[in-house]
Amino acid sequence: MYFRYSYLLKLKLSYPITYIKGISVQRATLLYSELGIKTCNDLLNFFPFRYIDKTTFYSIKELQPNSSEVQIVGKITSVKSVAQKRGTRLVAKFQDATGTMELVWFRGQKWIKDSLKINQPYVVFGKLNHYNGSFSMPHPEMELVTEYKKKLQTKMQPVYPSTEKLTNSGVSNKLVRTYIQNLLQQFYDKIQETLSNEIIEDFKFISKRDALLNAHFPKSQENLAKAQNRLKFEELFFIQLQLLRRKLINKTKIKGFVFQNVGANFNDFYSNRLPFDLTNAQKRVLKEIRKDVASGAHMNRLLQGDVGSGKTIVALLAMLLAIDNGFQATIMAPTEILATQHYLAIFELLETMDLNIDLLTGSVKTKKRKEIHQNLEDGTLDILIGTHALLEDKVQFKNLGIAIIDEQHRFGVAQRSKLWKKNTIVPHILVMTATPIPRTLAMSVYGDLDISIIDELPPGRKEVKTVHRFDSNRLSVFKFMKDEIKKGRQVYIVYPLIQESEVMDYKDLMDGYESVSREFPTPKYQISIVHGQMKPADKEYEMQRFVKGETQIMVATTVIEVGVNVPNASVMIIESSERFGLSQLHQLRGRVGRGADQSYCILLSSFKLSAEAKTRLKTMVETSDGFKIAEVDLKLRGPGNLMGTQQSGILNLKIADVVKDTKILVDARNTAISLLQEDSNLSKSQNDLINKAYLELSKTSKIWSNIS
Ligand code: ADP
Ligand code: MG
């Protein structure tokens, strides 16, 4: 007895779940392998995904076609058997003061029919069906009101996520509920507060203990809302705290190179060689960058700007700043095509200046590669542009001052930091993305970066006219193409290429190419074709023919998504557009509308469209604002599928939802900001609890090490 008592005293939430009454080693192993639940704390933070609500009574008039499980009080007025395709079903007319509905049984009809009492008040509970304007409830749970009143009422019942294997091994929802009940009984006293009094008072939060208790076993909807609100805040708050602290530490501890001079190259280029006036947005961003790199702190900045907003020139000017201060600069792009395009564009812009630029991609031959390595190490090269090839160990800069990463979402965080590590002092980092990330998401994913936004397109751009057409209208689309080609324009036709159905997709592409070739015969028309299975040299050749205007039509898979810049191309036709994601459609559309002419985007699809596909196509037709499109995308797909979020902690959120809980996220972030302003080390006594929880989290949670 004595022994047992002392062991109880020492219980800790960090203990394995076998310490919870009723959980065997076997079960614990299963819970770990299926759900990743290892410690008592894990289980405590394993939240229900829904609740069976028996706290509310609905009247029949209140029922909505989307209400799922409801509880109603009423009387049965009649019962009959109704013949159906196979056998019969039992139907009871059920009514309350506000209306009538049906209760329906398919099994055990005789027994049920005998036990039903006519004209006596029942409490019924179950899932609703809605058909032809009326409601029915199959196989309801039911009880006479007289019986119901005698019992202690169960409240809202939690339903936990599960897996097939768990269910098959007898770990039912009921069992999990029991485990958590036991857990709360044994450990309730061990649950520590994690927020300061000040925050709790400011937001009128309930205590951590009550929040956890009510998140699992809420007494009412209202209590549940309070519990979830507090737990969501807390989850987002600690992530923000982590991100912001890291940023703070980077700012103060990591030394950055100081680009003090705005020197000869920058000034010469800015005053004499800029091919156009910068937009105000470009100027603003440039100022933000200049301020960063002159400050002595390390720049870690995300530059967001829609397709065609002119990020490249900003990157180039930033690189000139580095060069003027005696440093080298680099741009890393996700594809060979894009890297080459950057190289050509920048080479041309700097042609008359005395600077050394080179290109390093996977297809650069060994001899040339060695030469590049050499020139890089001895400092001959000022700017190196390339792909992943830049990350190889052999690539050593003499003194890399700034690294620019284009199309950020294609590189993982690990790669980002690999580029960083190429120097003893970390170079300034500018990450550029054309996939606008909604602000809230950016806050949670890239909370450690500073964010600049180019929210203005260069002048004279006309909005791309976008329409949706069904496959059956293909002939009129061909006709339209001919008209545009007659005016001297060029046309893209893009086919989906999705890994899982690669073989079929290539077949579609080839079939499409054939039918286009028949419709647009040589010698009047010339067609380029580019896809991922071609050799890089062949791809390049076909691409160049299109760039030079030797071909009028480019048939391609999504390889042209990024990078291709042909201002004369004014029509983008997307085949099977219902299969593309929103951000991809947006990127593709960005390939046209680069010149002075009115451009068009035609989204072709089959008749059969899912609701989601309809929304995507509708969104594309209605707007060309990348941020709006990103918001819709986020709502449709959730953050897990947004590019760039894979490595971030945002996926592992246990209770908060970055799409739905925007307001809480903003509160959490602002609270974290003002907290750090007052107490950057969390060393003040009123923040003890926060500090303790913070340290605990950074020790145990995998999420945390992933944020970088
Ligand atoms: P993105 O942001 O998609 O990388 P780019 O930097 O490739 O965009 O710019 C798209 C096109 O717009 C390029 O042809 C570029 O020369 C042109 N451009 C960029 N800034 C301006 C500007 N301020 N005025 C006119 N044209 C511009
Ligand atoms: Mg670009």
Side-chain angles (χ1 to χ4, degrees):
M1 246 352 250
Y2 174 73
F3 182 69
R4 189 172 168 77
Y5 178 62
S6 71
Y7 129 83
L8 274 178
L9 262 186
K10 279 196 295 187
L11 272 183
K12 278 187 189 162
L13 276 164
S14 58
Y15 284 5
I17 49 175
T18 44
Y19 279 78
I20 298 164
K21 217 175 94 200
I23 302 190
S24 64
V25 172
Q26 234 174 348
R27 287 269 156 82
T29 315
L30 200 62
L31 282 166
Y32 181 61
S33 65
E34 288 297 293
L35 299 169
I37 296 171
K38 196 156 124 195
T39 66
C40 298
N41 205 31
D42 291 343
L43 190 62
L44 197 55
N45 288 292
F46 176 62
F47 296 109
F49 69 97
R50 69 185 186 95
Y51 301 82
I52 298 171
D53 181 3
K54 292 190 175 176
T55 61
T56 315
F57 289 93
Y58 289 82
S59 62
I60 292 176
K61 210 176 91 189
E62 282 174 335
L63 298 179
Q64 298 292 328
N66 61 355
S67 11
S68 44
E69 281 162 318
V70 293
Q71 184 170 248
I72 309 165
V73 179
K75 290 175 185 171
I76 292 172
T77 54
S78 66
V79 183
K80 62 177 181 205
S81 283
V82 179
Q84 55 181 34
K85 239 186 203 163
R86 246 184 245 149
T88 59
R89 66 176 185 272
L90 184 68
V91 177
K93 227 186 192 112
F94 185 73
Q95 74 175 51
D96 68 2
T98 68
T100 57
M101 61 179 284
E102 290 180 344
L103 309 177
V104 186
W105 293 267
F106 304 95
R107 300 179 303 273
Q109 295 182 31
K110 179 163 175 1
W111 180 81
I112 290 163
K113 192 170 182 178
D114 292 344
S115 66
L116 290 178
K117 302 212 162 45
I118 306 290
N119 278 327
Q120 299 218 20
Y122 272 105
V123 179
V124 303
F125 176 86
K127 264 206 169 113
L128 275 183
N129 286 333
H130 182 251
Y131 185 72
N132 264 352
S134 64
F135 290 96
S136 67
M137 188 183 283
H139 288 268
E141 284 176 34
M142 55 195 299
E143 203 167 24
L144 286 165
V145 168
T146 46
E147 296 298 315
Y148 178 89
K149 281 188 175 154
K150 282 184 204 156
K151 284 193 207 151
L152 186 70
Q153 283 321 306
T154 41
K155 309 292 178 190
M156 296 174 66
Q157 280 180 9
V159 183
Y160 294 93
S162 188
T163 67
E164 212 177 319
K165 201 161 167 200
L166 279 173
T167 320
N168 290 342
S169 320
V171 184
S172 62
N173 188 56
K174 200 169 156 202
L175 197 59
V176 175
R177 222 146 62 198
T178 312
Y179 291 162
I180 294 180
Q181 224 153 18
N182 292 347
L183 165 69
L184 279 162
Q185 254 157 28
Q186 284 172 269
F187 288 85
Y188 184 77
D189 295 342
K190 311 278 175 197
I191 300 172
Q192 303 290 337
E193 187 48 67
T194 50
L195 296 176
S196 64
N197 278 333
E198 195 187 333
I199 294 177
I200 290 177
E201 276 163 24
D202 274 359
F203 289 94
K204 302 196 170 54
F205 284 139
I206 57 175
S207 73
K208 172 96 178 185
R209 282 177 190 172
D210 285 347
L212 284 169
L213 187 62
N214 276 290
H216 289 290
F217 303 105
K219 293 201 184 66
S220 64
Q221 287 287 359
E222 198 193 341
N223 281 14
L224 175 62
K226 279 186 186 160
Q228 288 180 330
N229 184 45
R230 141 116 216 198
L231 294 172
K232 286 173 175 181
F233 176 92
E234 172 168 347
E235 184 169 42
L236 296 168
F237 171 75
F238 280 105
I239 290 178
Q240 287 302 318
L241 207 54
Q242 164 88 353
L243 290 168
L244 292 164
R245 280 200 86 186
R246 184 187 296 267
K247 186 162 141 186
L248 205 70
I249 291 166
N250 286 353
K251 275 254 149 60
T252 51
K253 300 254 167 71
I254 300 187
K255 282 234 165 358
F257 297 122
V258 186
F259 299 169
Q260 209 141 34
N261 312 318
V262 177
N265 287 306
F266 185 97
N267 283 332
D268 178 23
F269 185 80
Y270 199 89
S271 329
N272 309 324
R273 292 165 212 270
L274 260 184
F276 37 68
D277 291 333
L278 294 185
T279 62
N280 286 330
Q282 285 170 322
K283 283 185 198 157
R284 187 188 62 233
V285 170
L286 193 62
K287 243 187 226 152
E288 287 164 353
I289 293 171
R290 270 172 63 174
K291 197 167 154 222
D292 277 1
V293 295
S295 71
H298 173 241
M299 176 172 80
N300 203 7
R301 189 169 277 283
L302 178 71
L303 173 53
Q304 292 195 48
D306 218 335
V307 191
S309 62
K311 294 184 290 297
T312 316
I313 202 85
V314 174
L316 175 58
L317 284 159
M319 290 197 292
L320 292 179
L321 275 180
I323 293 166
D324 277 342
N325 288 274
F327 292 97
Q328 293 169 304
T330 187
I331 299 186
M332 180 164 76
T335 65
E336 188 150 348
I337 293 173
L338 187 53
T340 310
Q341 193 120 36
H342 274 317
Y343 171 71
L344 294 173
I346 287 171
F347 191 89
E348 201 180 306
L349 284 165
L350 300 182
E351 204 173 7
T352 50
M353 293 172 65
D354 186 22
L355 291 171
N356 290 312
I357 308 165
D358 221 325
L359 174 70
L360 181 64
T361 67
S363 49
V364 170
K365 298 273 170 355
T366 316
K367 185 163 164 258
K368 172 74 184 163
R369 191 176 284 258
K370 279 196 177 135
E371 184 192 316
I372 291 176
H373 292 160
Q374 185 56 44
N375 292 341
L376 203 57
E377 265 174 77
D378 67 23
T380 316
L381 264 185
D382 299 300
I383 296 177
L384 182 60
I385 295 165
T387 55
H388 293 79
L390 293 176
L391 298 172
E392 283 166 19
D393 291 333
K394 284 209 183 105
V395 180
Q396 292 296 337
F397 292 84
K398 181 171 180 231
N399 55 359
L400 181 60
I402 186 166
I404 292 163
I405 303 172
D406 199 11
E407 304 296 338
Q408 131 86 10
H409 55 274
R410 301 191 177 215
F411 294 105
V413 172
Q415 286 173 316
R416 241 212 278 165
S417 59
K418 195 160 175 191
L419 197 56
W420 251 252
K421 285 182 187 124
K422 291 223 166 268
N423 257 16
T424 37
I425 298 191
V426 188
H428 295 299
I429 305 284
L430 183 67
V431 174
M432 306 199 291
T433 174
T435 311
I437 301 156
R439 258 205 104 68
T440 51
L441 189 65
M443 250 183 219
S444 24
V445 183
Y446 302 113
D448 60 334
L449 303 184
D450 290 307
I451 298 179
S452 289
I453 299 177
I454 304 186
D455 50 5
E456 181 186 357
L457 291 180
R461 292 281 166 80
K462 290 202 184 92
E463 192 159 344
V464 178
K465 279 193 183 144
T466 304
V467 293
H468 170 214
R469 294 280 180 268
F470 293 112
D471 291 338
S472 50
N473 292 326
R474 192 175 306 268
L475 281 183
S476 65
V477 174
F478 282 153
K479 163 90 174 51
F480 178 73
M481 283 170 63
K482 282 179 185 155
D483 291 345
E484 284 295 301
I485 292 173
K486 209 180 278 168
K487 288 188 219 156
R489 306 286 113 77
Q490 289 165 286
V491 181
Y492 293 105
I493 307 179
V494 177
Y495 285 80
L497 179 60
I498 294 159
Q499 238 155 23
E500 296 91 69
S501 49
E502 202 170 325
V503 177
M504 273 311 290
D505 284 348
Y506 272 117
K507 191 175 169 303
D508 287 351
L509 173 77
M510 286 313 172
D511 290 352
Y513 176 64
E514 244 169 58
S515 83
V516 173
S517 305
R518 249 178 284 126
E519 190 67 33
F520 296 86
T522 47
K524 186 166 180 202
Y525 299 100
Q526 299 291 331
I527 307 174
S528 288
I529 178 164
V530 172
H531 59 75
Q533 289 190 342
M534 293 164 67
K535 288 203 193 92
D538 296 343
K539 251 195 282 190
E540 185 54 33
Y541 173 76
E542 289 286 322
M543 204 79 102
Q544 283 310 325
R545 290 210 308 150
F546 189 69
V547 172
K548 288 186 204 138
E550 293 168 12
T551 60
Q552 298 95 0
I553 302 172
M554 157 79 84
V555 176
T557 55
T558 38
V559 288
I560 64 149
E561 187 184 333
V562 284
V564 177
N565 187 17
V566 182
N568 189 48
S570 66
V571 182
M572 168 63 67
I573 295 169
I574 305 179
E575 291 276 354
S576 304
S577 58
E578 73 271 31
R579 294 179 57 204
F580 288 86
L582 255 181
S583 73
Q584 228 178 355
L585 290 173
H586 180 61
Q587 293 281 320
L588 284 169
R589 179 168 59 185
R591 295 303 109 203
V592 295
R594 303 197 144 217
D597 308 304
Q598 177 61 55
S599 291
Y600 304 88
C601 175
I602 301 171
L603 305 166
L604 284 170
S605 83
S606 65
F607 264 117
K608 258 197 171 167
L609 292 175
S610 67
E612 223 193 278
K614 269 184 204 153
T615 309
R616 287 198 297 265
L617 299 181
K618 188 165 163 273
T619 305
M620 285 296 294
V621 171
E622 279 171 3
T623 183
S624 51
D625 179 336
F627 281 93
K628 273 192 198 138
I629 289 171
E631 296 277 357
V632 176
D633 201 26
L634 185 62
K635 288 207 171 101
L636 285 180
R637 303 202 298 164
N641 293 307
L642 267 195
M643 292 194 235
T645 61
Q646 273 80 354
Q647 268 90 357
S648 71
I650 215 67
L651 280 190
N652 305 327
L653 289 178
K654 290 203 169 76
I655 190 162
D657 176 329
V658 279
V659 183
K660 294 188 189 127
D661 301 322
T662 322
K663 194 183 162 307
I664 302 179
L665 174 59
V666 173
D667 282 345
R669 182 172 173 86
N670 290 338
T671 307
I673 290 173
S674 49
L675 177 72
L676 289 176
Q677 268 162 5
E678 284 165 27
D679 186 9
S680 61
N681 297 319
L682 302 177
S683 55
K684 291 189 179 162
S685 64
Q686 67 262 36
N687 296 323
D688 273 355
L689 291 175
I690 294 177
N691 191 34
K692 217 173 136 204
Y694 180 88
L695 293 175
E696 196 61 35
L697 271 175
S698 28
K699 212 164 52 192
T700 57
S701 171
K702 194 163 160 278
I703 303 172
W704 290 54
S705 55
N706 278 340
I707 301 172
S708 111

